[in-house]
Amino acid sequence: MRALTEEETQTLFSKLANYTGRSLNNLIQPPSDSSKEGERYVFRLHDSRVYYMKLSIANLATSISRENLLSLGTCLGKFTKTGKFRLHITALDIIAPHARYKVWIKPNGEMPFLYGGNIVKAHIGRWSEDCPEHQGVVVFSMDDKPLGFGVTARSTAETRRLDPTSITVFRQADVGEYLREEDTLFTTT
Amino acid sequence: MPVSPKFASTAIPSGPNLNLGRERMAPTRTVRSKFAASKSEKSNGSKKSSLGSSGIKKSKPSKGAKAPPPKQQKTRPTARPTKRKRRVYTEKELGLPKLNTITPVGVDLPKGKKKGKIFVDDQESMMTILAIVNANKEGQIESKMMKSRQMEEIREARRKEAEVRQEQRHSKLEERKDSIRRKRNMKTEKNVTSEPLENKERRPQASKSGKKRVSFA
């Protein structure tokens, strides 16, 4: 377990910034400005996975050997061998409150999305205005529960002219993965 | 193969020749310091003992004869100070670029740079990186929005143009239709006005002539 390098931090932040706005600052500097050193949040890399946790927990984890340490804090995602960063569904709870663009899907569209499908226009209940294409969005149910995240296929202006069956959001991760990827989601090898 | 006595006899004269060579080399040995000379003597002695040939004994007296002039040895090293060995630099020390070799990226580290990773763990540096990333992202989004807006405007303009063209074509068609209708009306009106007179004159004729009809029973 170690802290991230400059390059890794930049890759991670640019990925997170795809989905979040300026409020991403709150991840590093929580608004309830606690002066205690152990209360601030840090990012740690362990087995190519990035975890987000309080500094006090990270310090405690130093007493556990690398082989024996399985996981700590919240896993945000992992670095691929080519150096790119892939967000995991476990990061949803962290990025959902800071989402820049949101899409709400109707109850009839929830199941297709949670089974790993893309979102068609007919299933969209609401969406944030002025969203460009290929922009990260966080997907919510109509009662504001975060369900996953994806990437827009078209801008909002273009989406209006689309027919109901055409894809508007490409799925990136959904909470259905907790069941579907149960055996690989938390394994470290 | 058994050595013939003739061959053996020819081999013996080579001994003195060897000795002559040693005698010639002796002055070069004396060029070095006293210490070197003594060393060479020692080594020579060992060699000779190992050789054990008949020529050894002849060389020894020659050595003894050469030993007396040590004064010359002292003067000679001062005469040639320029022949000192120059320092040979290794390629690493010179730092010359290697020719015709490919150094993979990351292997050739720049000189004077610190080895290893630079970790980011303090809030300030993380905030600066985040600010840079955020600015970049916002710029990208802004440019995307601008681009999509421009594209939208262009599309709108094109659509309007196409609509106008369609309308024009439609109106042209209508006009043409009207003109044709009007023409037809004019004709019919003319016919209507001219018909009564003609009818009066032609009716009897028309009734008379009519259309020729052929009927088969």
Side-chain angles (χ1 to χ4, degrees):
Chain A
M1 192 191 69
R2 63 167 173 84
L4 303 181
T5 61
E6 271 182 9
E7 205 179 333
E8 285 164 346
T9 313
Q10 197 156 6
T11 318
L12 168 71
F13 285 170
S14 58
K15 192 58 142 189
L16 289 174
N18 263 343
Y19 298 93
T20 58
R22 281 262 169 215
S23 56
L24 188 62
N25 293 355
N26 295 344
L27 276 187
I28 305 162
Q29 238 173 4
S32 56
D33 194 32
S34 49
S35 53
K36 276 186 186 173
E37 177 62 12
E39 289 298 296
R40 74 182 179 93
Y41 281 82
V42 290
F43 298 93
R44 287 284 181 268
L45 186 89
H46 176 65
D47 279 342
S48 81
R49 281 167 199 250
V50 176
Y51 297 91
Y52 175 68
M53 75 210 82
K54 271 185 185 171
L55 182 62
S56 55
I57 293 170
N59 289 341
L60 281 176
T62 52
S63 60
I64 301 163
S65 68
R66 202 177 287 178
E67 309 88 63
N68 293 336
L69 186 63
L70 189 69
S71 159
L72 73 161
T74 311
C75 178
L76 292 184
K78 69 174 185 184
F79 277 101
T80 62
K81 279 175 185 166
T82 52
K84 287 171 186 160
F85 186 74
R86 190 152 294 171
L87 269 180
H88 281 177
I89 185 61
T90 44
L92 182 66
D93 288 334
I94 287 162
I95 57 172
H98 308 295
R100 185 200 293 255
Y101 296 107
K102 296 177 182 181
V103 168
W104 287 265
I105 52 174
K106 291 175 186 168
N108 63 343
E110 280 177 20
M111 275 301 150
F113 179 67
L114 296 184
Y115 274 95
N118 297 323
I119 301 172
V120 293
K121 193 198 166 188
H123 290 153
I124 291 179
R126 283 200 294 164
W127 67 68
S128 307
E129 287 298 314
D130 269 351
C131 179
E133 65 176 346
H134 306 136
Q135 172 66 41
V137 286
V138 179
V139 181
F140 289 87
S141 65
M142 287 307 275
D143 48 356
D144 268 335
K145 268 184 214 151
L147 297 178
F149 42 87
V151 171
T152 53
R154 305 286 171 92
S155 63
T156 38
E158 278 178 85
T159 311
R160 280 198 195 95
R161 284 195 297 273
L162 285 177
D163 55 317
T165 55
S166 51
I167 293 166
T168 24
V169 178
F170 299 117
R171 184 199 75 93
Q172 296 289 297
D174 62 85
V175 287
E177 278 176 39
Y178 279 111
L179 295 180
R180 278 184 280 127
E181 314 284 325
E182 193 184 3
D183 48 348
T184 55
L185 197 58
F186 298 105
T187 52
T188 46
T189 48
Chain B
M1 207 176 134
V3 181
S4 66
K6 212 180 180 184
F7 186 73
S9 66
T10 50
I12 293 160
S14 70
N17 275 348
L18 268 168
N19 284 338
L20 275 170
R22 269 175 206 150
E23 275 169 35
R24 265 179 221 158
M25 277 179 76
T28 54
R29 276 175 206 148
T30 51
V31 170
R32 287 183 202 166
S33 65
K34 253 185 186 175
F35 182 70
S38 64
K39 247 191 175 179
S40 66
E41 268 175 36
K42 271 180 195 171
S43 65
N44 268 343
S46 66
K47 264 185 189 174
K48 278 158 202 168
S49 63
S50 68
L51 278 167
S53 65
S54 59
I56 301 160
K57 279 178 184 174
K58 276 186 182 176
S59 68
K60 258 191 176 175
S62 71
K63 277 263 156 80
K66 288 265 153 96
K71 279 173 191 173
Q72 270 189 336
Q73 282 176 351
K74 272 180 187 173
T75 52
R76 272 191 185 178
T78 49
R80 290 188 224 173
T82 49
K83 250 206 166 179
R84 281 218 145 185
K85 245 190 177 181
R86 291 186 72 186
R87 198 187 159 191
V88 180
Y89 293 92
T90 57
E91 285 205 7
K92 240 186 184 179
E93 278 175 320
L94 286 170
L96 290 170
K98 282 172 191 165
L99 296 173
N100 297 331
T101 53
I102 300 160
T103 46
V105 179
V107 168
D108 193 21
L109 283 167
K111 270 185 176 179
K113 208 183 167 186
K114 201 194 153 200
K115 235 181 186 181
K117 292 162 184 154
I118 304 161
F119 295 117
V120 179
D121 204 23
D122 54 325
Q123 242 175 19
E124 284 73 43
S125 51
M126 273 208 279
M127 287 300 269
T128 47
I129 290 171
L130 186 59
I132 293 164
V133 167
N134 259 338
N136 271 349
K137 270 279 159 297
E138 254 163 43
Q140 278 176 14
I141 289 170
E142 200 61 36
S143 68
K144 256 190 202 174
M145 292 299 297
M146 285 280 283
K147 207 175 158 188
S148 66
R149 241 173 252 156
Q150 276 177 351
M151 291 297 284
E152 198 63 29
E153 269 173 27
I154 291 166
R155 261 183 227 134
E156 194 69 18
R158 250 185 221 163
R159 200 174 55 81
K160 269 184 186 168
E161 207 175 292
E163 255 175 33
V164 167
R165 219 179 290 150
Q166 190 79 15
E167 215 150 86
Q168 272 181 351
R169 209 187 292 161
H170 193 74
S171 61
K172 229 180 190 179
L173 188 73
E174 287 296 312
E175 255 177 47
R176 184 80 187 136
K177 271 183 188 171
D178 277 351
S179 69
I180 289 166
R181 265 182 215 141
R182 246 179 266 146
K183 263 186 192 172
R184 208 199 285 159
N185 283 346
M186 290 277 275
K187 268 186 186 175
T188 49
E189 271 173 28
K190 268 185 188 173
N191 283 346
V192 169
T193 50
S194 59
E195 239 180 49
L197 287 171
E198 280 175 11
N199 278 354
K200 281 173 191 173
E201 289 166 7
R202 282 178 190 175
R203 250 177 208 170
Q205 282 178 355
S207 61
K208 271 178 191 174
S209 63
K211 222 179 188 180
K212 275 186 181 177
R213 280 182 182 179
V214 181
S215 61
F216 299 97

